[in-house]
Amino acid sequence: MDARQAAQAVEQFACSVCGSPAGSVCRTRSGTVAIGYHTPRFVLVPELGQADAVPVPPDRHPLARWVPREPVAVRVGYCCTSAVGGKTEDWVSELVAAECAAIFLDTVGPAVRMRPELARALRLSADQRRCAEDQPVVFTVLELAQLARTGAEFIETAAALRAADVSLDIRRGTLAGVYHPRETGSLLFAVLTAAGDLDRAHHRQRIRAGQQAASNRGNRGGRPSVFDDAMLSEARRLYEQGVPVPEIATQLVIATGKNAGRHPSLASVYRALATGPATRLDAEPPASAEPDSLTSEHSTSRGRT
């Protein structure tokens, strides 16, 4: 690492000693450019952690009047290529020439939805923007087709960039240019956000319409019932005879489905019996008339005495 590369690496961080922001050189108490970077600042660079000193390069004009520099944008490059083939090396070289600090590459087929490197690139961009609020972050792609393969993916990615306040740089193509979520090019993000809202609202309406149509046809959704008409009739007959529900469950056998040959659960029996118009599950099964007549006779005899 030469002096210029070391200076660029150090100036990615703000200085806790002199208060110089990220992107600016260290300064002295008298307001001039320092001749070397302060130790608490350059030790943040792993490659310079063991260095005794890091001098300020001549192009930063040591001992001249200190003037804060505009923060240099951090570029995060991304490229998605097909698993069938692509000019991967040429694309990566172009991203390196664009001064991308980090480059992420996904090699997936057109039918593969998940792109893990894209998620990593978006996460790094958001983290960098959050850690250094004064330093802009630019998400860089060579072509729009390398960022998103469908309109839905473009809307989703643009929403993530907008939420993280990260600019988008498309190097070539119909939409070539730099788009910032809140400054130049914000109209693109606004249009994509509105398109995403419309798409989600339309999707919800289609779901509700489908659910309503299925409900009108009698399809309430959920898992299919294990009770057929024969099982339901048998369960009601046993219940009307006073057979307890747990014993009813042991006498019934599921005829079809993946649970064929097994007994239904108590919950299934209760639900099936609850569908009957005259069935009352909040009371005990109907008992025979004999105990009732004995009770009535006993009550009458007690009244006579």
Side-chain angles (χ1 to χ4, degrees):
M1 181 181 294
D2 56 22
R4 187 173 181 275
Q5 293 174 340
Q8 291 178 346
V10 173
E11 290 174 4
Q12 292 181 0
F13 306 96
C15 184
S16 60
V17 177
C18 62
S20 295
S24 297
V25 69
C26 287
R27 58 182 172 178
T28 63
R29 293 183 179 180
S30 59
T32 60
V33 178
I35 61 174
Y37 293 97
H38 294 106
T39 304
R41 187 180 190 183
F42 71 73
V43 295
L44 297 175
V45 181
E47 294 82 359
L48 303 175
Q50 303 298 326
D52 297 330
V54 177
V56 173
D59 60 352
R60 304 297 201 270
H61 307 292
L63 300 180
R65 188 172 67 89
W66 182 85
V67 178
R69 297 175 58 189
E70 291 294 329
V72 180
V74 175
R75 289 184 174 271
V76 177
Y78 175 75
C79 177
C80 180
T81 180
S82 172
V84 178
K87 303 177 182 179
T88 306
E89 296 181 358
D90 295 340
W91 291 336
V92 172
S93 299
E94 290 188 53
L95 291 175
V96 172
E99 298 182 351
C100 293
I103 298 175
F104 297 86
L105 175 65
D106 269 320
T107 304
V108 295
V112 179
R113 176 174 174 78
M114 300 301 297
R115 293 185 289 171
E117 293 302 310
L118 175 61
R120 290 184 57 200
L122 294 173
R123 192 181 311 115
L124 175 64
S125 302
D127 292 343
Q128 176 66 28
R129 190 72 180 91
R130 185 165 49 262
C131 295
E133 297 181 357
D134 297 332
Q135 189 173 35
V137 179
V138 181
F139 197 89
T140 306
V141 294
L142 299 179
E143 300 174 356
L144 180 60
Q146 296 179 0
L147 177 66
R149 297 164 294 182
T150 63
E153 287 185 353
F154 190 23
I155 293 174
E156 182 181 354
T157 305
L161 294 174
R162 181 185 178 94
D165 195 22
V166 174
S167 301
L168 172 63
D169 183 11
I170 304 175
R171 307 293 288 182
R172 56 174 179 261
T174 307
L175 294 176
V178 179
Y179 302 91
H180 192 279
R182 290 169 178 79
E183 296 177 4
T184 306
S186 59
L187 179 61
L188 174 66
F189 286 91
V191 171
L192 290 175
T193 301
D197 293 339
L198 290 173
D199 186 64
R200 285 187 291 271
H202 180 62
H203 186 62
R204 286 193 295 267
Q205 291 176 357
R206 291 181 60 186
I207 291 177
R208 294 195 190 101
Q211 291 174 341
Q212 184 63 40
S215 178
N216 294 338
R217 293 193 299 266
N219 184 3
R220 304 296 179 179
R223 294 180 298 177
S225 176
V226 298
F227 274 78
D228 54 16
D229 294 340
M231 283 183 61
L232 183 59
S233 300
E234 179 66 13
R236 289 176 180 172
R237 185 185 67 79
L238 293 174
Y239 187 80
E240 291 171 357
Q241 292 179 359
V243 180
V245 174
E247 188 175 342
I248 294 176
T250 60
Q251 296 186 26
L252 298 176
V253 178
I254 301 174
T256 59
K258 65 178 183 180
N259 294 321
R262 300 173 60 181
H263 300 295
S265 64
L266 280 177
S268 298
V269 177
Y270 275 112
R271 281 194 299 268
L273 292 175
T275 60
T279 305
R280 294 185 56 193
L281 297 178
D282 54 346
E284 291 294 328
S288 60
E290 224 175 274
D292 293 339
S293 60
L294 291 176
T295 304
S296 302
E297 183 179 352
H298 181 64
S299 301
T300 306
S301 62
R302 287 184 59 186
R304 287 197 299 265
T305 57

